[in-house]
Amino acid sequence: MEKKHKFSIWYVLLGIWAVLILNNLIYQSIGPEVIPYSEFLSRLRQDKIKEIAIGDQAITGVMLDKDNAEVKFKTIRVNPDLAKELEGHTLKFRGEVESTFLRNLISWLIPIFLFLGIWYFMMRRMGPGAGVMQFGQNRAKLHAEQDVPTRFEDVAGVDEAKGELQEIVSFLKEPERYTRVGGRMPKGVLLVGPPGTGKTLLSRAVAGEAGVPFFSISGSEFVELFVGVGAARVRELFSQAKEKAPCIIFIDELDALGKARGMSVVGGHDEREQTLQQLLVEMDGFDPRVGVIIMAATNRPEILDPALLRAGRFDRQVLVDKPDLNGRIDILKVHAKRITLAPDVDLKILAQRTPGLSGADLENILNEGALLAGRADRDQVTMADLEEAVDRIVGGLEKKNRVINQREKKTVAYHETGHAMVAAYTPLTDKVHKISIVPRGIAALGYTEQRPTEDRYLMSRSELVGKLDVLLGGRVAEKIIFGEVSTGASNDLQRATDLARAMLTQYGMGTTLGPVTYSRRNQPIFMPQDSSYLPPGQEYSEATAAGLDDELRRLLEEREDRVNQVLSEHRDQLEAVAQKLLDQEVLESREFYTMLGLDPDKAAGQAETEG
Ligand code: ADP
Ligand code: MG
Ligand code: ZN
């Protein structure tokens, strides 16, 4: 659009210039000959002037040239006392008032018409009823993509997410199959995951696989300077999408737009809220059977406005997590297709060296390797190039605390195995669902996920003790294997201590303190536990406090002994599971229980032990 404008302004200027040149030419060819005043005087003295008209500034007239032919001439007046000179010569002369009116008028009119023309032209470009709304339209139109070339095979290592999105693809391809039996597709699908894991890529792959138009817009593009623009843009986007259905609307970086209301700092606040409101209205207002599916991506789901996540909006969430070892191998394979690899390249080794890296990081490594090979003027990318690329990129990321080294990885593997094994060997605990040493976020280097088989509202003392044991499992395993504990276990210890204290002071589960509750903290039920919420003053004596501390220590020591016993007894299994975990980074429930020689279908609840 910008380009065309410049072009047309040049066009107009060119036109003006051409007219001026032409004008000059015509004037010169048919206009009077312009002669200097001195020549005029000398001709006057020679009586070669036949007739003149005297204006304010110029004298025009007819003179005789060399061949005594009459020619028109013009000269600029210099001598004010011309009349005297003229006397005694045989010529007609008269005074004339030069008419400059027309010329003045034209010199005013041309610029005015020019500006009017440009203005009209610009308004035409924006379309009828031009205004801010039309900008929105233009932007959204720019983003409608017809044949998206991306396919699912371009995205690797996120099989679970792909599986869930497969359903969306088949709905877009043949909606009748679902609507015939009264099925309703989710309106909104939210892709959640750390940066660079392929969320944008996946959404494009869905559009590519289904072969539908893809409207893509970034959340930040909605948030404009002028109030009302964002909301208008949302309206426009949806109305266009409905025309093109079946199609996909993709809102990248939804968090820029969908931050929980009332959370933002001053400025742009009302505008964002209005836009968000409009998005909610549009999402509620359309029938999913028309075949428009709204996808969005975010790496900060926790700050999204809860209204966005309600049923009928982004009610389906797909986790796009960082890839495990096999995932990383697959991603490397996908991107290795584009570069010429030397035969010595082993992608598995690269994958082993890069735990915690995202798909984008891995792509970056291959690219960096190719650049290194190019710099050395080689035809193939060698393993050495790629190793150096890993060093560079991992080194860069290590500074940002995103990658763990091999020794840390080993510690984490034993730690997590400790949690999981204690859970497996303790009755009344939640079933181990998954063990992972793929780092998540900043704090957690690994996690053991336990899932409840039913909802629980009450817990017995033995169940709470079981929880204590599982929490202590990580650090005890570290102690057994390495002879010391790492800082990674401190959060577990904190949680174990809090739980044990609650058992003694709130639930009356102690042995020496009697059936008394020693704490009357009323915590807000729906708020996170907040330790700063302590009421002033203690409700028990110093002696009781000392007794409480004693019993607390005794309880935890007792649990630690038991955990130590369990893990030492099964030390060979601890080694084997941790080794397996180091190899493949993730261990699913079935595989884990089988390794312990236990029944994988043994049931039990939800807890997650991080760190
Ligand atoms: P996100 O939107 O999650 O931040 P992107 O989809 O923009 O991540 O990913 C950036 C680039 O990284 C992609 O274009 C792709 O080249 C590469 N990439 C990321 N994840 C994957 C993956 N799972 N498989 C293949 N390539 C990936
Ligand atoms: Mg993205
Ligand atoms: Zn732990």
Side-chain angles (χ1 to χ4, degrees), residues 13-14 52 77 121 163 175 190 375 378 405 419 425 515 581:
L13 289 179
L14 197 76
I52 57 168
R77 218 178 129 165
F121 182 78
L190 183 62
R375 203 171 300 158
R378 272 192 291 274
N405 65 35
H419 285 307
Y425 284 115
L581 199 52

Side-chain angles (χ1 to χ4, degrees), residues 154-158 194-201 252 331 334-335 359-360 363:
D154 300 325
V155 196
V158 283
T197 46
K199 298 182 293 298
T200 308
L201 195 66
D252 213 346
I331 293 174
V334 166
H335 292 289
E363 187 197 2

Side-chain angles (χ1 to χ4, degrees), residues 52-232:
I52 57 168
I54 302 166
D56 265 354
Q57 288 145 26
I59 298 165
T60 52
V62 181
M63 63 179 184
L64 300 173
D65 68 1
K66 287 165 264 160
D67 318 320
N68 278 347
E70 291 186 3
V71 284
K72 285 186 176 172
F73 76 93
K74 180 178 181 177
T75 188
I76 306 301
R77 218 178 129 165
V78 177
N79 182 0
D81 296 327
L82 186 63
K84 271 189 207 135
E85 291 251 8
L86 294 175
E87 282 167 25
H89 293 284
T90 56
L91 85 164
K92 280 200 269 178
F93 63 93
R94 63 187 154 86
E96 188 179 57
V97 179
E98 276 171 280
S99 155
T100 52
F101 173 73
L102 204 66
R103 219 177 297 157
N104 284 348
L105 193 69
I106 287 173
S107 69
W108 277 101
L109 281 182
I110 285 182
I112 289 176
F113 274 116
L114 200 69
F115 281 114
L116 278 178
I118 291 173
W119 181 70
Y120 173 76
F121 182 78
M122 286 176 79
M123 294 315 273
R124 267 265 304 270
R125 288 244 123 223
M126 288 189 229
V132 279
M133 226 185 282
Q134 300 305 317
F135 280 111
Q137 189 177 26
N138 282 335
R139 284 273 197 102
K141 259 187 188 139
L142 269 178
H143 284 260
E145 204 176 325
Q146 279 301 342
D147 297 302
V148 182
T150 316
R151 294 290 179 273
F152 273 149
E153 65 189 37
D154 300 325
V155 196
V158 283
D159 295 336
E160 275 174 50
K162 265 201 260 183
E164 292 196 44
L165 294 172
Q166 190 64 53
E167 195 187 347
I168 309 283
V169 171
S170 77
F171 173 78
L172 286 166
K173 269 187 177 160
E174 31 180 3
E176 314 83 42
R177 225 177 82 189
Y178 295 84
T179 50
R180 197 180 51 216
V181 292
R184 183 181 69 81
M185 271 320 272
K187 276 185 193 173
V189 180
L190 183 62
L191 303 177
V192 181
T197 46
K199 298 182 293 298
T200 308
L201 195 66
L202 261 175
S203 70
R204 295 179 58 82
V206 171
E209 289 281 340
V212 297
F214 185 63
F215 288 88
S216 161
I217 194 158
S218 166
S220 54
E221 275 176 74
F222 281 118
V223 184
E224 288 282 332
L225 205 54
F226 304 108
V227 173
V229 177

Side-chain angles (χ1 to χ4, degrees), residues 419-421 423-424 430-435 448-451 587-590 592-593:
H419 285 307
M421 280 185 55
D430 296 338
K431 188 177 173 181
V432 175
H433 181 75
K434 185 178 177 181
I435 320 170
T448 303
E449 189 182 345
Q450 293 170 270
R451 289 239 174 121
L587 213 54
E588 300 293 338
S589 178
R590 191 159 287 277
F592 169 66
Y593 281 99

Side-chain angles (χ1 to χ4, degrees), residues 578-595:
Q579 203 51 54
K580 187 100 186 166
L581 199 52
L582 275 171
D583 279 350
Q584 56 186 47
E585 293 178 6
V586 190
L587 213 54
E588 300 293 338
S589 178
R590 191 159 287 277
E591 204 175 354
F592 169 66
Y593 281 99
T594 312
M595 283 185 82

